[in-house]
């Protein structure tokens, strides 16, 4: 139980998950040493370097049986304060070497404060595919408006797109319409239109623009990987990745679902965390490619069912309860601006949830991927709970099931299917 009579408190470091009971009055830095968490500390804990910054995570962490709050730590003083701006202070940042433990806490160690910073890599594999981009660019030269020809700019553009590229029944995003007149004149009546699925004009740029960038993102339970693609030939220009920032609120899908159910703003917090992460990846890949985030005109995001619900801001509680129906099986298109994504705001984002093929094949819908992941982490109890959500008599079924899941296991393409 947290907070026992020896005046020790439960301290949990994320994203490593290292935890243990630490005496009241010890600093977070001392706790990190005791628990084997490597936090930077160049100045030897003298509050000079500021490299030991950590963030206090507040909320009810049912999984650990504690409520973490900044009141469970010594108050911030003027020495520490000079290392933080107002926003960081509001977000709960502290110096680990100056902050004393007065109660149970969950502490997030940001990447820049970790010694031997973790490198998350997900390389793209080259596979021959038919390139069918959702967004293509079309260059047109328009006739200038005159006193004899006062056709509207949009009609002028759509007529030309129809004549030159046989694109009919086009619509234009309202925000793009507001910028259209300037774009047309800045380009001396020569423009490039980005068109989504040959239906909607989502961007108009002055002059000829040939490059078309799209961002594909795989939101995994533990890592998020982004692939910036040249949509004219499907090649990967650059990649970016990070730990899923939701890890601090739970290491696996069950604990994240539980976090949304036990905290009043739980879904909002997890959704905000992944949006920040996606914006960070967009920024990272755009900088690496020497382009602006706004040059990304398409984004496609996939994730497992739980990640899918959280990034779409739809309540995941029903996928944690039998019979586990998702809010939607198919992909959904959303405007980047409506979703808080800082790429070209008019871009349609395709968000798609995926069920692993083994889970689709399992008559009971056992989530084999997460179940195997939990076992690999040594979390046997949690793994069993996950299986029991689908099949109460796991032992019996395990003996009689003909395991159709294994026929679908993609590991079979490499060597052998996993034996669930
Ligand atoms: S062995 Fe049977 S019950 Fe278990 S995951 Fe595979 S198909 Fe489902
Ligand atoms: S170790 Fe230098 S400020 Fe904390």
């Amino acid at each position: 139980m947290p907070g026992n009579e020896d005046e020790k408190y439960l301290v949990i470091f994320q994203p490593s998950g290292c935890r243990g009971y630490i005496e009241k009055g010890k600093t977070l830095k001392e706790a990190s040493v005791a628990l084997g968490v490597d936090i930077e500390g160049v100045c030897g804990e003298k509050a000079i370097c500021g490299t030991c910054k950590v963030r206090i995570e507040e909320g009810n962490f049912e999984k650990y049986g504690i409520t973490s709050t900044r009141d469970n730590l010594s108050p911030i003083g003027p020495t520490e304060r000079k290392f933080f701006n107002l926003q960081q202070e509001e977000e709960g940042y502290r110096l680990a070497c100056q902050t004393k433990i007065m109660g149970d806490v969950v502490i997030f160690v940001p990447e820049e404060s970790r010694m031997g910073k973790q490198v998350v890599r997900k390389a793209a594999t080259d596979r021959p595919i038919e390139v069918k981009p959702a967004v293509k660019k079309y260059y047109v030269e328009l006739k200038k408006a005159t006193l004899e020809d006062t056709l509207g700019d949009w009609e002028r553009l759509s007529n030309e797109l129809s004549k030159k590229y046989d694109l009919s029944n086009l619509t234009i995003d309202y925000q793009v319409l507001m910028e259209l007149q300037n774009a047309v004149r800045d380009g001396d009546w020569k423009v490039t239109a980005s068109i989504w699925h040959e239906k909607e004009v989502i961007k108009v740029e002055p002059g000829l623009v040939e490059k078309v960038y799209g961002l594909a993102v795989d939101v995994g339970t533990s890592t998020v990987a982004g692939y910036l693609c040249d949509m004219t030939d499907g090649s990967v220009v650059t990649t970016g990745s990070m730990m899923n920032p939701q890890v601090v609120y739970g290491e696996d899908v069950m604990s994240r679902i539980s976090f949304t159910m036990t905290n009043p703003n739980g879904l909002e917090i997890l959704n905000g965390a992944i949006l920040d992460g996606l914006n960070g990846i967009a920024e990272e890949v755009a900088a690496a490619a020497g382009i602006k985030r706004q040059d990304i005109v398409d984004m496609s995001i996939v994730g497992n069912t739980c990640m899918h619900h959280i990034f779409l801001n739809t309540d995941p509680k029903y996928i944690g309860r039998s019979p586990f129906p998702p809010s939607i099986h198919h992909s959904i298109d959303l405007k980047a601006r409506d979703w808080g994504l800082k790429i070209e705001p008019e871009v349609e984002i395709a968000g798609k949830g995926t069920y692993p093929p083994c889970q689709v094949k399992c008559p009971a819908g056992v989530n084999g991927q997460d179940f195997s992941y939990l076992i690999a982490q040594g979390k046997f109890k949690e793994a069993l709970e996950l299986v029991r959500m689908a099949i109460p008599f796991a032992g019996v079924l395990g003996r009689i099931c003909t395991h159709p899941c294994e026929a679908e296991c993609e590991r079979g393409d490499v060597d052998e299917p996993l034996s669930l």
Side-chain angles (χ1 to χ4, degrees):
M1 288 295 292
N4 66 26
E5 55 199 24
D6 296 322
E7 292 273 19
K8 284 188 174 177
Y9 292 102
L10 185 56
V11 180
I12 299 153
F13 285 98
Q14 296 288 15
S16 64
C18 294
R19 70 198 75 164
Y21 287 93
I22 303 293
E23 278 166 41
K24 180 181 178 185
K26 294 270 186 204
T27 66
L28 290 174
K29 177 74 179 163
E30 288 170 317
S32 73
V33 173
L35 297 174
V37 178
D38 291 330
I39 297 180
E40 292 278 8
V42 177
C43 70
E45 302 169 34
K46 295 193 171 56
I48 297 171
C49 66
T51 55
C52 62
K53 290 188 183 95
V54 292
R55 193 178 69 219
I56 318 309
E57 299 299 337
E58 293 195 287
N60 176 24
F61 291 81
E62 198 177 69
K63 179 177 168 187
Y64 306 122
I66 64 166
T67 298
S68 170
T69 136
R70 46 189 98 173
D71 293 340
N72 288 348
L73 295 164
S74 57
I76 190 167
T79 318
E80 259 190 283
R81 203 161 257 143
K82 65 178 190 249
F83 289 96
F84 304 111
N85 58 34
L86 270 180
Q87 189 188 345
Q88 288 173 316
E89 202 178 314
E90 259 170 38
E91 286 170 358
Y93 277 90
R94 300 291 303 267
L95 291 182
C97 69
Q98 302 300 307
T99 308
K100 293 192 174 138
I101 295 157
M102 320 289 285
D104 303 316
V105 276
V106 177
I107 305 295
F108 180 73
V109 184
E111 197 143 335
E112 61 274 17
S113 302
R114 288 177 220 155
M115 280 204 275
K117 298 166 182 58
Q118 179 165 8
V119 180
V120 180
R121 274 212 188 93
K122 279 199 172 181
T125 311
D126 275 340
R127 288 204 180 139
I129 53 162
E130 189 190 346
V131 180
K132 286 198 295 185
V135 177
K136 292 185 194 158
K137 293 202 175 190
Y138 300 86
Y139 172 72
V140 283
E141 297 184 3
L142 307 174
K143 278 202 190 112
K144 284 186 187 179
T146 62
L147 281 175
E148 290 72 41
D149 174 9
T150 55
L151 192 64
D153 287 358
W154 164 236
E155 286 77 11
R156 198 173 292 273
L157 174 61
S158 56
N159 287 351
E160 197 57 34
L161 287 165
S162 163
K163 205 163 83 188
K164 190 165 174 191
Y165 299 105
D166 201 19
L167 294 165
S168 51
N169 301 320
L170 289 175
T171 58
I172 184 165
D173 180 274
Y174 172 58
Q175 300 288 333
V176 179
L177 178 65
M178 293 203 288
E179 302 292 328
L180 178 64
Q181 291 162 298
N182 289 337
V184 166
R185 282 150 190 86
D186 289 350
D188 194 23
W189 301 82
K190 300 178 188 73
V191 290
T192 302
S194 299
I195 302 182
W196 177 72
H197 282 306
E198 302 187 350
K199 284 185 195 157
E200 185 187 26
V201 175
I202 58 163
K203 185 170 186 167
V204 178
E205 295 162 274
L208 172 66
V209 183
E210 288 177 307
K211 283 284 180 199
V212 193
Y213 292 102
L215 180 58
V217 184
D218 173 7
V219 179
T221 312
S222 31
T223 56
V224 182
Y227 306 90
L228 183 72
C229 302
D230 178 338
M231 290 169 60
T232 57
D233 60 9
S235 61
V236 175
V237 179
T238 184
T239 62
S241 52
M242 59 167 33
M243 286 196 101
N244 187 325
Q246 297 167 344
V247 161
V248 66
Y249 305 104
E251 292 141 48
D252 50 76
V253 291
M254 288 313 296
S255 41
R256 293 205 205 148
I257 294 174
S258 153
F259 184 83
T260 65
M261 292 167 74
T262 52
N263 289 274
N265 303 324
L267 178 57
E268 205 180 305
I269 291 169
L270 292 187
N271 176 260
I274 191 60
L275 286 182
D276 284 350
L278 292 173
N279 282 329
I281 285 199
E283 178 77 58
E284 181 188 338
V285 294
I291 61 169
K292 297 196 294 285
R293 279 191 307 210
Q294 290 73 12
D295 293 330
I296 299 173
V297 292
D298 189 26
M299 192 163 172
S300 200
I301 302 172
V302 294
N304 63 40
T305 319
C306 178
M307 297 303 103
H308 172 221
H309 277 66
I310 293 172
F311 74 65
L312 288 178
N313 217 358
T314 51
D315 199 333
K317 71 171 173 251
Y318 299 107
I319 56 168
R321 287 183 196 160
S322 180
F324 321 110
S327 60
I328 181 168
H329 263 297
H330 298 100
S331 63
I332 185 167
D333 296 309
L334 297 161
K335 293 275 184 196
R337 61 167 177 255
D338 298 336
W339 216 16
L341 282 169
K342 295 175 184 160
I343 55 172
E344 174 59 32
E346 282 64 66
V347 161
E348 296 275 356
I349 312 292
K352 186 165 181 8
T354 53
Y355 279 95
C358 52
Q359 189 176 356
V360 172
K361 206 67 189 172
C362 172
V366 168
N367 183 343
Q369 279 195 340
D370 287 331
F371 154 66
S372 314
Y373 171 78
L374 289 169
I375 288 181
Q377 300 280 312
K379 296 180 182 166
F380 303 110
K381 190 164 158 275
E382 286 90 342
L384 183 60
E385 275 168 19
L386 188 66
V387 174
R388 285 207 167 126
M389 280 171 49
I391 40 176
F393 304 113
V396 175
L397 197 65
R399 285 174 178 80
I400 59 170
C401 180
T402 56
H403 46 76
C405 55
E406 290 182 25
E408 299 300 313
C409 176
E410 291 181 351
R411 182 75 207 178
D413 298 344
V414 182
D415 42 41
E416 290 178 355
L418 282 190
S419 175
L420 290 176

